[in-house]
Amino acid sequence: MRIFKILSQKIVRQQYARLFYLFTITFAFFYHAIFLCVFNHLEIEPMFRFNIFSVLFYVILLITYKRVHNYVIPVLIFLLEVISHQIQAGYYLGGDACFHYLILLSAIVPLLTFESRIGLASFCGFTITLIFAFMEANALTFTPRLEVSESALYAIRVSNVLCVSIIDIGTLLCYSYIVWHNKYSLEAQIRQKENIVAKQNKKMFNYQNNIIISLANLVENRDVDTGEHIRRTSAYVELISREAFKRKVYPEVINERFIHRLIQAAPLHDVGKILISDSVLKKPGRLTPEEFDMIKIHTKEGGRIIAEIIGNNDDKDFVRIAKDIATYHHERWDGGGYPKGLKGDQIPVSARIMAIADVFDALISPRCYKASFTREKALEIIKDESGTHFDPVLAEIFLDIQKDFA
Protein backbone atom coordinates (compact mmCIF):
# COMPACT_ATOMS: atom_id res chain seq x y z
CA MET A 1 0.00 0.00 0.00
CA ARG A 2 2.92 2.35 0.65
CA ILE A 3 3.99 2.28 -3.00
CA PHE A 4 0.46 3.25 -4.04
CA LYS A 5 0.48 6.11 -1.52
CA ILE A 6 3.82 7.39 -2.84
CA LEU A 7 2.63 7.00 -6.43
CA SER A 8 -0.58 8.86 -5.59
CA GLN A 9 1.30 11.74 -3.97
CA LYS A 10 3.67 12.04 -6.91
CA ILE A 11 0.90 12.02 -9.49
CA VAL A 12 -1.38 14.40 -7.62
CA ARG A 13 1.49 16.82 -6.91
CA GLN A 14 2.44 17.12 -10.57
CA GLN A 15 1.25 20.51 -11.78
CA TYR A 16 0.79 19.14 -15.30
CA ALA A 17 -0.60 15.70 -14.44
CA ARG A 18 -3.66 16.39 -16.62
CA LEU A 19 -1.41 17.16 -19.58
CA PHE A 20 0.46 13.87 -19.10
CA TYR A 21 -2.78 12.01 -18.80
CA LEU A 22 -4.11 13.52 -22.03
CA PHE A 23 -0.84 12.88 -23.89
CA THR A 24 -0.64 9.24 -22.78
CA ILE A 25 -4.27 8.40 -23.49
CA THR A 26 -4.22 10.15 -26.86
CA PHE A 27 -1.10 8.29 -27.95
CA ALA A 28 -2.54 4.99 -26.71
CA PHE A 29 -5.74 5.65 -28.66
CA PHE A 30 -3.91 6.20 -31.96
CA TYR A 31 -1.56 3.28 -31.24
CA HIS A 32 -4.44 0.86 -30.79
CA ALA A 33 -6.42 2.37 -33.68
CA ILE A 34 -3.47 1.78 -36.02
CA PHE A 35 -3.07 -1.83 -34.88
CA LEU A 36 -6.83 -2.29 -35.14
CA CYS A 37 -6.45 -1.61 -38.86
CA VAL A 38 -3.33 -3.83 -39.05
CA PHE A 39 -5.00 -6.80 -37.37
CA ASN A 40 -8.11 -6.33 -39.49
CA HIS A 41 -5.97 -6.35 -42.63
CA LEU A 42 -4.05 -9.45 -41.47
CA GLU A 43 -7.31 -11.07 -40.35
CA ILE A 44 -5.99 -11.76 -36.87
CA GLU A 45 -9.43 -12.02 -35.28
CA PRO A 46 -8.60 -12.26 -31.53
CA MET A 47 -6.26 -9.26 -31.62
CA PHE A 48 -8.71 -7.33 -33.81
CA ARG A 49 -11.50 -7.84 -31.28
CA PHE A 50 -9.28 -6.91 -28.36
CA ASN A 51 -8.17 -3.72 -30.11
CA ILE A 52 -11.80 -2.75 -30.63
CA PHE A 53 -12.17 -2.93 -26.85
CA SER A 54 -8.93 -0.96 -26.36
CA VAL A 55 -9.92 1.80 -28.79
CA LEU A 56 -13.33 2.17 -27.11
CA PHE A 57 -11.64 2.15 -23.70
CA TYR A 58 -9.33 5.03 -24.63
CA VAL A 59 -12.15 6.96 -26.28
CA ILE A 60 -14.03 6.81 -22.97
CA LEU A 61 -10.92 7.96 -21.09
CA LEU A 62 -10.50 10.86 -23.52
CA ILE A 63 -14.12 11.92 -23.14
CA THR A 64 -14.00 11.84 -19.32
CA TYR A 65 -10.47 13.14 -18.69
CA LYS A 66 -11.65 16.68 -17.80
CA ARG A 67 -13.64 15.29 -14.89
CA VAL A 68 -10.72 13.37 -13.43
CA HIS A 69 -9.32 14.84 -10.22
CA ASN A 70 -7.25 11.92 -8.97
CA TYR A 71 -5.20 10.18 -11.65
CA VAL A 72 -4.21 7.09 -9.68
CA ILE A 73 -7.16 4.88 -10.63
CA PRO A 74 -7.16 5.81 -14.37
CA VAL A 75 -3.40 5.23 -14.53
CA LEU A 76 -3.73 1.82 -12.86
CA ILE A 77 -6.52 0.86 -15.27
CA PHE A 78 -4.36 2.03 -18.16
CA LEU A 79 -1.44 -0.09 -16.95
CA LEU A 80 -3.70 -3.14 -16.52
CA GLU A 81 -4.89 -2.72 -20.10
CA VAL A 82 -1.29 -2.54 -21.29
CA ILE A 83 -0.40 -5.73 -19.39
CA SER A 84 -3.39 -7.67 -20.68
CA HIS A 85 -2.82 -6.43 -24.23
CA GLN A 86 0.83 -7.48 -24.23
CA ILE A 87 0.08 -10.89 -22.69
CA GLN A 88 -2.49 -11.53 -25.40
CA ALA A 89 -0.09 -10.34 -28.10
CA GLY A 90 2.62 -12.64 -26.76
CA TYR A 91 0.16 -15.54 -26.62
CA TYR A 92 -1.22 -15.22 -30.17
CA LEU A 93 1.77 -13.78 -31.99
CA GLY A 94 4.63 -15.45 -30.14
CA GLY A 95 7.65 -13.90 -28.41
CA ASP A 96 8.12 -13.14 -24.73
CA ALA A 97 5.44 -10.87 -23.37
CA CYS A 98 7.60 -10.18 -20.29
CA PHE A 99 9.65 -7.82 -22.44
CA HIS A 100 6.61 -5.64 -22.69
CA TYR A 101 6.49 -5.24 -18.92
CA LEU A 102 9.45 -2.91 -19.33
CA ILE A 103 6.88 -0.41 -20.57
CA LEU A 104 5.65 -0.20 -16.98
CA LEU A 105 9.14 0.44 -15.65
CA SER A 106 9.85 3.12 -18.22
CA ALA A 107 6.62 4.86 -17.18
CA ILE A 108 6.98 4.45 -13.40
CA VAL A 109 10.68 5.25 -12.96
CA PRO A 110 10.44 8.81 -14.32
CA LEU A 111 7.21 9.37 -12.41
CA LEU A 112 8.87 8.54 -9.09
CA THR A 113 12.16 10.35 -9.69
CA PHE A 114 11.53 13.28 -11.99
CA GLU A 115 10.32 15.64 -9.32
CA SER A 116 13.86 16.62 -8.36
CA ARG A 117 16.21 14.20 -10.13
CA ILE A 118 15.88 14.78 -13.86
CA GLY A 119 19.27 13.30 -14.75
CA LEU A 120 18.67 9.98 -12.99
CA ALA A 121 15.14 9.61 -14.37
CA SER A 122 16.26 10.41 -17.92
CA PHE A 123 19.11 7.89 -17.69
CA CYS A 124 16.81 5.16 -16.36
CA GLY A 125 14.05 5.89 -18.87
CA PHE A 126 16.30 5.94 -21.93
CA THR A 127 18.21 2.87 -20.75
CA ILE A 128 15.00 0.89 -20.29
CA THR A 129 13.79 1.97 -23.71
CA LEU A 130 17.03 0.84 -25.37
CA ILE A 131 16.97 -2.50 -23.53
CA PHE A 132 13.36 -3.08 -24.54
CA ALA A 133 14.04 -2.27 -28.18
CA PHE A 134 17.18 -4.47 -28.25
CA MET A 135 15.47 -7.47 -26.64
CA GLU A 136 12.43 -7.23 -28.89
CA ALA A 137 14.53 -6.90 -32.03
CA ASN A 138 16.69 -9.91 -31.12
CA ALA A 139 13.99 -12.31 -29.90
CA LEU A 140 14.04 -14.45 -33.03
CA THR A 141 12.05 -17.46 -31.77
CA PHE A 142 8.37 -17.25 -32.62
CA THR A 143 5.70 -19.76 -31.80
CA PRO A 144 2.55 -18.01 -33.04
CA ARG A 145 -0.74 -19.75 -32.43
CA LEU A 146 -2.20 -18.15 -35.53
CA GLU A 147 -1.26 -18.46 -39.17
CA VAL A 148 0.61 -15.20 -39.72
CA SER A 149 3.35 -14.63 -42.28
CA GLU A 150 6.86 -13.99 -41.10
CA SER A 151 6.90 -10.57 -42.79
CA ALA A 152 3.68 -9.61 -41.01
CA LEU A 153 5.07 -10.67 -37.65
CA TYR A 154 8.23 -8.73 -38.32
CA ALA A 155 6.23 -5.63 -39.27
CA ILE A 156 4.15 -5.93 -36.11
CA ARG A 157 7.23 -6.31 -33.93
CA VAL A 158 9.01 -3.37 -35.56
CA SER A 159 5.90 -1.21 -35.26
CA ASN A 160 5.51 -2.18 -31.61
CA VAL A 161 9.14 -1.39 -30.78
CA LEU A 162 8.91 1.95 -32.57
CA CYS A 163 5.63 2.92 -30.89
CA VAL A 164 6.82 1.96 -27.42
CA SER A 165 10.15 3.74 -27.94
CA ILE A 166 8.35 6.86 -29.15
CA ILE A 167 6.01 6.96 -26.18
CA ASP A 168 8.88 6.32 -23.72
CA ILE A 169 11.07 9.02 -25.21
CA GLY A 170 8.12 11.39 -25.63
CA THR A 171 7.16 10.88 -21.99
CA LEU A 172 10.71 11.51 -20.85
CA LEU A 173 10.94 14.70 -22.87
CA CYS A 174 7.59 15.91 -21.55
CA TYR A 175 8.60 15.14 -17.98
CA SER A 176 11.90 16.94 -18.51
CA TYR A 177 10.17 20.01 -19.90
CA ILE A 178 7.58 20.12 -17.15
CA VAL A 179 10.11 19.70 -14.35
CA TRP A 180 12.30 22.37 -15.93
CA HIS A 181 9.31 24.66 -16.42
CA ASN A 182 8.15 24.13 -12.84
CA LYS A 183 11.63 24.87 -11.54
CA TYR A 184 11.93 27.96 -13.73
CA SER A 185 8.46 29.14 -12.67
CA LEU A 186 9.28 28.51 -9.01
CA GLU A 187 12.52 30.46 -9.28
CA ALA A 188 10.66 33.26 -11.05
CA GLN A 189 8.03 33.29 -8.29
CA ILE A 190 10.74 33.36 -5.62
CA ARG A 191 12.49 36.25 -7.38
CA GLN A 192 9.19 38.08 -7.70
CA LYS A 193 8.41 37.59 -4.00
CA GLU A 194 11.94 38.67 -3.07
CA ASN A 195 11.51 41.83 -5.16
CA ILE A 196 8.17 42.54 -3.50
CA VAL A 197 9.66 42.01 -0.03
CA ALA A 198 12.67 44.19 -0.94
CA LYS A 199 10.35 46.97 -2.13
CA GLN A 200 8.26 46.68 1.04
CA ASN A 201 11.39 46.75 3.20
CA LYS A 202 12.69 49.77 1.30
CA LYS A 203 9.33 51.50 1.71
CA MET A 204 9.32 50.70 5.42
CA PHE A 205 12.93 51.86 5.74
CA ASN A 206 12.09 55.17 4.04
CA TYR A 207 9.00 55.54 6.21
CA GLN A 208 11.08 54.85 9.31
CA ASN A 209 13.76 57.30 8.22
CA ASN A 210 11.12 59.97 7.61
CA ILE A 211 9.87 59.48 11.17
CA ILE A 212 13.41 59.74 12.54
CA ILE A 213 14.14 62.87 10.51
CA SER A 214 10.85 64.43 11.58
CA LEU A 215 11.52 63.74 15.24
CA ALA A 216 15.08 65.03 14.97
CA ASN A 217 13.80 68.16 13.21
CA LEU A 218 11.45 68.82 16.11
CA VAL A 219 14.48 68.99 18.38
CA GLU A 220 16.45 71.05 15.85
CA ASN A 221 13.65 73.59 15.61
CA ARG A 222 13.83 74.00 19.38
CA ASP A 223 17.58 74.60 19.46
CA VAL A 224 19.83 75.27 16.46
CA ASP A 225 22.90 74.11 18.42
CA THR A 226 21.15 70.85 19.24
CA GLY A 227 20.27 70.35 15.56
CA GLU A 228 23.90 70.62 14.48
CA HIS A 229 24.80 68.43 17.45
CA ILE A 230 22.53 65.68 16.08
CA ARG A 231 24.30 65.59 12.72
CA ARG A 232 27.81 65.63 14.19
CA THR A 233 27.18 62.99 16.85
CA SER A 234 25.74 60.66 14.21
CA ALA A 235 29.01 60.92 12.30
CA TYR A 236 31.06 60.32 15.47
CA VAL A 237 28.98 57.28 16.36
CA GLU A 238 29.61 55.75 12.95
CA LEU A 239 33.40 56.22 13.21
CA ILE A 240 33.58 54.77 16.74
CA SER A 241 31.35 51.77 16.05
CA ARG A 242 33.09 50.86 12.78
CA GLU A 243 36.52 50.99 14.42
CA ALA A 244 35.24 48.87 17.32
CA PHE A 245 33.93 46.33 14.79
CA LYS A 246 37.26 46.33 12.99
CA ARG A 247 39.09 45.65 16.26
CA LYS A 248 36.52 42.98 17.26
CA VAL A 249 35.52 44.84 20.40
CA TYR A 250 32.30 43.47 21.93
CA PRO A 251 31.85 41.12 18.92
CA GLU A 252 28.74 39.58 20.45
CA VAL A 253 27.02 42.97 20.01
CA ILE A 254 28.83 45.05 17.41
CA ASN A 255 28.32 43.82 13.85
CA GLU A 256 27.28 45.38 10.55
CA ARG A 257 23.56 45.20 11.39
CA PHE A 258 24.18 46.80 14.80
CA ILE A 259 26.25 49.60 13.24
CA HIS A 260 23.60 50.28 10.59
CA ARG A 261 20.84 50.49 13.21
CA LEU A 262 22.93 52.59 15.58
CA ILE A 263 23.74 55.16 12.88
CA GLN A 264 20.08 55.29 11.90
CA ALA A 265 18.95 55.70 15.52
CA ALA A 266 21.61 58.19 16.65
CA PRO A 267 19.61 61.32 15.66
CA LEU A 268 16.94 60.28 18.17
CA HIS A 269 19.16 60.35 21.25
CA ASP A 270 17.97 63.82 22.36
CA VAL A 271 14.39 63.55 21.11
CA GLY A 272 13.10 63.83 24.69
CA LYS A 273 14.20 67.47 24.74
CA ILE A 274 11.09 68.46 22.82
CA LEU A 275 9.28 68.25 26.18
CA ILE A 276 11.71 70.57 27.99
CA SER A 277 10.58 74.17 28.26
CA ASP A 278 12.51 76.87 26.40
CA SER A 279 13.19 78.67 29.64
CA VAL A 280 15.30 75.74 30.79
CA LEU A 281 16.61 74.43 27.46
CA LYS A 282 17.82 77.84 26.28
CA LYS A 283 18.83 79.30 29.64
CA PRO A 284 22.11 81.24 29.16
CA GLY A 285 23.47 80.67 32.66
CA ARG A 286 24.09 77.76 35.01
CA LEU A 287 21.04 75.60 35.76
CA THR A 288 19.64 75.31 39.26
CA PRO A 289 19.33 71.79 40.75
CA GLU A 290 15.59 71.86 40.00
CA GLU A 291 16.21 72.90 36.40
CA PHE A 292 18.87 70.22 35.99
CA ASP A 293 16.34 67.65 37.24
CA MET A 294 14.00 68.88 34.52
CA ILE A 295 16.74 68.40 31.92
CA LYS A 296 17.28 64.85 33.15
CA ILE A 297 13.69 64.04 32.25
CA HIS A 298 14.57 64.10 28.55
CA THR A 299 16.21 60.66 28.82
CA LYS A 300 13.17 58.80 30.14
CA GLU A 301 10.82 60.82 27.94
CA GLY A 302 12.97 60.12 24.90
CA GLY A 303 12.66 56.37 25.47
CA ARG A 304 8.91 56.71 25.98
CA ILE A 305 8.43 58.78 22.82
CA ILE A 306 10.36 56.25 20.74
CA ALA A 307 8.36 53.36 22.20
CA GLU A 308 5.07 55.09 21.41
CA ILE A 309 5.91 56.25 17.90
CA ILE A 310 8.01 53.45 16.42
CA GLY A 311 7.48 50.70 19.00
CA ASN A 312 5.36 48.67 16.58
CA ASN A 313 8.13 48.58 13.98
CA ASP A 314 8.94 45.04 12.83
CA ASP A 315 12.65 45.71 13.35
CA LYS A 316 12.68 45.19 17.11
CA ASP A 317 16.47 45.51 17.31
CA PHE A 318 16.31 49.01 15.87
CA VAL A 319 13.59 50.01 18.33
CA ARG A 320 15.64 48.61 21.22
CA ILE A 321 18.81 50.43 20.16
CA ALA A 322 16.93 53.70 19.65
CA LYS A 323 15.33 53.41 23.11
CA ASP A 324 18.66 52.50 24.72
CA ILE A 325 20.59 55.47 23.37
CA ALA A 326 17.75 57.89 24.14
CA THR A 327 17.34 56.58 27.69
CA TYR A 328 20.89 55.72 28.76
CA HIS A 329 23.32 58.00 26.90
CA HIS A 330 23.83 60.01 30.13
CA GLU A 331 24.72 56.97 32.26
CA ARG A 332 28.31 56.86 33.56
CA TRP A 333 30.72 53.90 33.61
CA ASP A 334 31.19 54.38 37.40
CA GLY A 335 27.42 54.39 38.04
CA GLY A 336 27.09 58.11 38.70
CA GLY A 337 24.90 58.93 35.69
CA TYR A 338 21.18 59.15 35.11
CA PRO A 339 18.32 58.19 34.81
CA LYS A 340 18.96 54.78 36.51
CA GLY A 341 22.54 54.95 37.71
CA LEU A 342 23.62 51.96 35.64
CA LYS A 343 27.23 50.89 35.97
CA GLY A 344 29.80 49.32 33.63
CA ASP A 345 28.43 46.51 31.46
CA GLN A 346 24.91 47.24 32.70
CA ILE A 347 24.88 50.15 30.25
CA PRO A 348 23.98 49.07 26.70
CA VAL A 349 26.93 49.24 24.29
CA SER A 350 24.97 51.54 21.99
CA ALA A 351 24.47 54.06 24.83
CA ARG A 352 28.19 53.86 25.79
CA ILE A 353 29.18 54.76 22.22
CA MET A 354 26.58 57.52 22.13
CA ALA A 355 27.84 58.95 25.44
CA ILE A 356 31.34 59.54 24.09
CA ALA A 357 30.10 61.15 20.88
CA ASP A 358 27.58 63.25 22.81
CA VAL A 359 29.99 64.60 25.41
CA PHE A 360 32.81 65.30 22.96
CA ASP A 361 30.56 67.32 20.68
CA ALA A 362 29.05 69.17 23.63
CA LEU A 363 32.55 70.12 24.80
CA ILE A 364 33.79 71.51 21.48
CA SER A 365 30.51 73.31 20.64
CA PRO A 366 29.45 76.71 21.95
CA ARG A 367 26.19 76.66 23.81
CA CYS A 368 23.94 79.36 25.19
CA TYR A 369 25.26 78.55 28.67
CA LYS A 370 29.00 78.14 27.87
CA ALA A 371 31.82 78.80 25.44
CA SER A 372 33.36 75.99 23.44
CA PHE A 373 36.46 74.09 24.60
CA THR A 374 39.39 73.61 22.31
CA ARG A 375 39.67 70.26 20.58
CA GLU A 376 42.80 69.43 22.62
CA LYS A 377 41.05 70.26 25.90
CA ALA A 378 38.02 68.16 24.96
CA LEU A 379 40.25 65.18 24.11
CA GLU A 380 42.06 65.59 27.43
CA ILE A 381 38.74 65.52 29.31
CA ILE A 382 37.67 62.34 27.46
CA LYS A 383 41.00 60.72 28.35
CA ASP A 384 40.81 61.81 32.02
CA GLU A 385 37.27 60.46 32.38
CA SER A 386 37.98 57.13 30.70
CA GLY A 387 36.98 54.45 33.21
CA THR A 388 34.88 56.86 35.25
CA HIS A 389 32.46 58.52 32.86
CA PHE A 390 33.21 56.45 29.75
CA ASP A 391 33.78 52.82 28.83
CA PRO A 392 37.63 52.68 28.86
CA VAL A 393 37.83 50.38 25.80
CA LEU A 394 35.57 52.57 23.69
CA ALA A 395 37.27 55.73 24.97
CA GLU A 396 40.63 54.34 23.84
CA ILE A 397 39.22 53.66 20.39
CA PHE A 398 37.83 57.20 20.26
CA LEU A 399 41.17 58.74 21.18
CA ASP A 400 42.99 56.57 18.61
CA ILE A 401 40.77 57.73 15.75
CA GLN A 402 40.11 61.30 16.87
CA LYS A 403 42.10 62.61 13.91
CA ASP A 404 39.26 61.33 11.67
CA PHE A 405 36.76 63.57 13.46
CA ALA A 406 35.92 66.68 11.45
Side-chain angles (χ1 to χ4, degrees):
M1 292 300 294
R2 191 170 186 275
I3 185 64
F4 291 122
K5 183 178 180 180
I6 295 174
L7 184 61
S8 172
Q9 291 174 346
K10 296 289 182 179
I11 293 174
V12 171
R13 274 194 306 205
Q14 287 290 350
Q15 182 179 354
Y16 294 92
R18 187 180 295 275
L19 177 62
F20 280 133
Y21 180 75
L22 179 61
F23 168 78
T24 305
I25 301 304
T26 302
F27 185 91
F29 166 75
F30 284 108
Y31 172 81
H32 287 83
I34 290 171
F35 274 96
L36 178 66
C37 298
V38 172
F39 293 137
N40 180 56
H41 178 72
L42 297 176
E43 297 181 351
I44 304 176
E45 190 67 22
M47 296 303 298
F48 174 74
R49 287 197 302 271
F50 190 83
N51 271 268
I52 291 177
F53 159 76
S54 298
V55 169
L56 291 176
F57 171 71
Y58 289 116
V59 167
I60 292 172
L61 290 182
L62 283 171
I63 293 174
T64 60
Y65 91 96
K66 286 188 176 180
R67 299 182 181 180
V68 176
H69 298 290
N70 188 314
Y71 295 91
V72 177
I73 294 177
V75 167
L76 291 177
I77 294 174
F78 167 69
L79 294 178
L80 288 174
E81 192 282 332
V82 171
I83 293 173
S84 61
H85 182 84
Q86 297 304 328
I87 290 176
Q88 190 177 48
Y91 178 81
Y92 286 109
L93 302 178
D96 298 315
C98 63
F99 295 160
H100 300 285
Y101 296 156
L102 292 170
I103 300 173
L104 304 181
L105 293 177
S106 62
I108 293 174
V109 169
L111 186 66
L112 296 180
T113 60
F114 250 110
E115 187 172 351
S116 59
R117 304 168 70 182
I118 300 177
L120 176 61
S122 299
F123 174 78
C124 293
F126 282 115
T127 301
I128 291 170
T129 300
L130 291 174
I131 293 174
F132 171 79
F134 176 80
M135 295 178 72
E136 278 291 297
N138 289 276
L140 302 177
T141 303
F142 291 91
T143 56
R145 288 170 172 77
L146 300 172
E147 293 184 4
V148 181
S149 67
E150 185 176 341
S151 60
L153 284 172
Y154 182 77
I156 291 172
R157 294 174 69 86
V158 171
S159 300
N160 196 41
V161 170
L162 288 175
C163 287
V164 173
S165 299
I166 290 171
I167 193 171
D168 282 353
I169 294 173
T171 302
L172 287 169
L173 293 176
C174 286
Y175 267 116
S176 298
Y177 169 76
I178 288 174
V179 173
W180 172 83
H181 185 270
N182 284 343
K183 183 179 179 181
Y184 177 81
S185 298
L186 180 61
E187 290 176 350
Q189 291 174 10
I190 291 174
R191 286 195 298 271
Q192 185 179 10
K193 289 181 180 179
E194 287 177 347
N195 291 335
I196 292 174
V197 171
K199 289 181 180 178
Q200 290 176 341
N201 289 340
K202 184 177 180 180
K203 184 177 180 180
M204 181 60 67
F205 178 78
N206 292 336
Y207 174 72
Q208 182 173 280
N209 268 350
N210 289 337
I211 293 177
I212 293 171
I213 292 170
S214 297
L215 290 174
N217 284 338
L218 287 175
V219 177
E220 186 170 0
N221 290 334
R222 297 289 310 284
D223 185 349
V224 175
D225 289 336
T226 302
E228 294 298 322
H229 170 72
I230 288 171
R231 283 187 283 272
R232 288 191 298 268
T233 51
S234 295
Y236 300 158
V237 160
E238 180 174 3
L239 290 171
I240 297 170
S241 58
R242 291 201 180 281
E243 183 65 21
F245 176 66
K246 186 186 301 183
R247 298 187 186 188
K248 298 182 179 180
V249 173
Y250 304 123
E252 70 282 0
V253 176
I254 301 177
N255 52 44
E256 286 290 350
R257 291 172 63 85
F258 171 85
I259 294 171
H260 174 74
R261 291 183 174 94
L262 180 58
I263 295 169
Q264 188 183 5
L268 295 175
H269 75 279
D270 273 337
V271 69
K273 287 185 176 180
I274 62 176
L275 298 178
I276 307 302
S277 68
D278 285 348
S279 62
V280 175
L281 188 64
K282 298 180 180 182
K283 183 178 179 180
R286 179 180 291 273
L287 297 177
T288 65
E290 293 77 13
E291 291 171 333
F292 186 59
D293 287 339
M294 293 179 63
I295 287 289
K296 289 180 180 180
I297 293 174
H298 85 277
T299 54
K300 289 184 178 180
E301 290 300 312
R304 182 184 64 80
I305 291 170
I306 290 171
E308 289 183 358
I309 295 180
I310 62 173
N312 292 329
N313 191 297
D314 290 337
D315 191 345
K316 300 304 179 185
D317 287 337
F318 168 75
V319 176
R320 175 178 52 79
I321 290 173
K323 288 175 63 178
D324 284 346
I325 63 173
T327 306
Y328 304 119
H329 68 283
H330 283 292
E331 298 286 1
R332 291 174 56 96
W333 185 255
D334 59 8
Y338 63 89
K340 292 187 176 181
L342 300 181
K343 182 178 181 179
D345 291 338
Q346 294 176 335
I347 307 169
V349 174
S350 56
R352 290 182 241 165
I353 295 174
M354 191 74 243
I356 297 173
D358 185 41
V359 171
F360 175 74
D361 191 72
L363 290 172
I364 64 173
S365 302
R367 296 292 173 86
C368 60
Y369 54 87
K370 75 170 188 67
S372 62
F373 287 88
T374 64
R375 184 186 184 91
E376 291 71 21
K377 180 61 177 177
L379 292 172
E380 184 181 343
I381 292 173
I382 297 293
K383 182 177 181 180
D384 290 343
E385 296 194 6
S386 174
T388 54
H389 189 160
F390 308 112
D391 180 329
V393 177
L394 294 174
E396 181 181 357
I397 291 175
F398 168 80
L399 293 171
D400 287 346
I401 63 170
Q402 53 84 24
K403 62 181 181 298
D404 296 329
F405 285 49

